[in-house]
Amino acid sequence: MADTPGKANAWLSVMRSLLAYGTRLDMRADNPASGIKRLELGEHEPWPADLLAVALEKATPMTRLAIVTGLCSGQRVSDCIRMQYGWIEGGIMELSQKKTGKAVAIPMHGFWIGELKNLPRSATTLLYERSGAPFKTTGAIQARLRDLMADKDVREVHADLVARELIAPDSTFSFHGLRKNACCYLLELGLSDTETGSILGMSSEMVRHYGKRARALMIARNAAERVTGGSIVPIARAR
């Protein structure tokens, strides 16, 4: 399960607890899972534009809506599957984050609203199972994304990005990466760290961490004319 380290770590935690219970019942003398290190998860990467485009093209309608919801809201998958139509007021999605309890109010982009109109409203939630029932866990969405990333066309775009050295060969893109996409987008629009953090339910420190690449590019673009307009080699003075 090394290719899905988050899932591997979850299984390790379950086995560790189960075997610890077994030792308390004297079913075995030790807990062999206690000495196993958790796998490194790495940093959640934002989805490159080319990968995002082909993923939206190849995704099923509900998986596409899930991606757009994550991209436009910048929320965790655990909150995206909870979002309800009744939480929308005047084009603003209001909710309290499940993990942190933070109250957030998210202006809904027209792209997101348009995607919602493309699917029948078959549940109280924006996202729902094929049966029409709301998603009970995040696992189904994560599984859909894994299947999507295994699609032939998506893999070809991934390989092209690797060949162009735009991403590392072992780069993986999860739902949480869309949260970073949203953060970068808001910063590129000119929103402050505080404003971006308020919409996404992040601290200003996390906004700066998530948006460090976007901000570096913004600085480079703004400074390009001044930087390239000078002489990088000092002009020799006449003697």
Side-chain angles (χ1 to χ4, degrees):
M1 299 173 69
D3 58 333
T4 53
K7 188 175 181 180
N9 289 341
W11 274 104
L12 176 59
S13 295
V14 171
M15 292 303 298
R16 189 173 289 161
S17 298
L18 178 64
L19 291 165
Y21 182 66
T23 59
R24 290 198 296 272
L25 296 180
D26 293 328
M27 296 179 71
R28 60 175 299 130
D30 63 340
N31 183 342
S34 63
I36 300 175
K37 292 184 179 180
R38 294 170 63 86
L39 296 178
E40 294 290 335
L41 294 178
E43 191 168 334
H44 297 287
E45 293 294 334
W47 293 30
D50 290 351
L51 186 74
L52 182 58
V54 71
L56 289 173
E57 179 185 343
K58 302 298 293 185
T60 63
M62 185 53 63
T63 303
R64 177 185 169 96
L65 179 57
I67 293 171
V68 172
T69 299
L71 180 67
C72 293
S73 72
Q75 301 304 305
R76 302 175 183 85
V77 62
S78 57
D79 289 317
C80 288
I81 64 172
R82 296 171 50 240
M83 290 180 181
Q84 300 183 19
Y85 283 96
W87 297 356
I88 302 173
E89 183 67 35
I92 305 292
M93 170 65 73
E94 300 182 61
L95 71 145
S96 294
Q97 292 181 328
K98 183 177 181 180
K99 181 177 180 179
T100 66
K102 289 183 179 179
V104 295
I106 309 154
M108 297 183 69
H109 196 284
F111 178 50
W112 187 10
I113 294 173
E115 291 294 320
L116 285 170
K117 291 179 179 178
N118 288 337
L119 284 178
R121 188 168 165 176
S122 300
T124 57
T125 53
L126 276 55
L127 306 177
Y128 51 86
E129 299 268 17
R130 291 181 178 87
S131 63
F135 287 103
K136 293 183 174 61
T137 67
T138 63
I141 297 291
Q142 304 286 22
R144 285 169 178 246
L145 290 189
R146 286 194 294 271
D147 290 343
L148 180 60
M149 290 301 165
D151 178 89
K152 176 178 176 292
D153 292 340
V154 176
R155 289 176 64 87
E156 285 181 358
V157 171
H158 188 284
D160 178 65
L161 291 168
V162 171
R164 291 155 57 193
E165 298 185 353
L166 296 176
I167 62 173
D170 59 349
S171 294
T172 57
F173 299 95
S174 65
F175 195 94
H176 201 84
L178 298 169
R179 185 161 161 81
K180 186 173 286 188
N181 281 90
C183 180
C184 294
Y185 172 71
L186 295 177
L187 291 174
E188 288 170 359
L189 289 180
L191 274 68
S192 68
D193 293 350
T194 301
E195 290 170 326
T196 300
S198 177
I199 292 172
L200 301 181
M202 288 182 189
S203 66
S204 295
E205 290 76 16
M206 186 59 70
V207 169
R208 287 191 286 273
H209 176 65
Y210 273 23
K212 58 188 176 184
R213 291 184 186 175
R215 181 161 282 136
L217 184 57
M218 289 163 58
I219 291 172
R221 285 172 176 164
N222 291 334
E225 186 175 346
R226 286 175 289 162
V227 170
T228 59
S231 175
I232 200 164
V233 178
I235 299 174
R237 295 181 180 179
R239 295 183 178 180

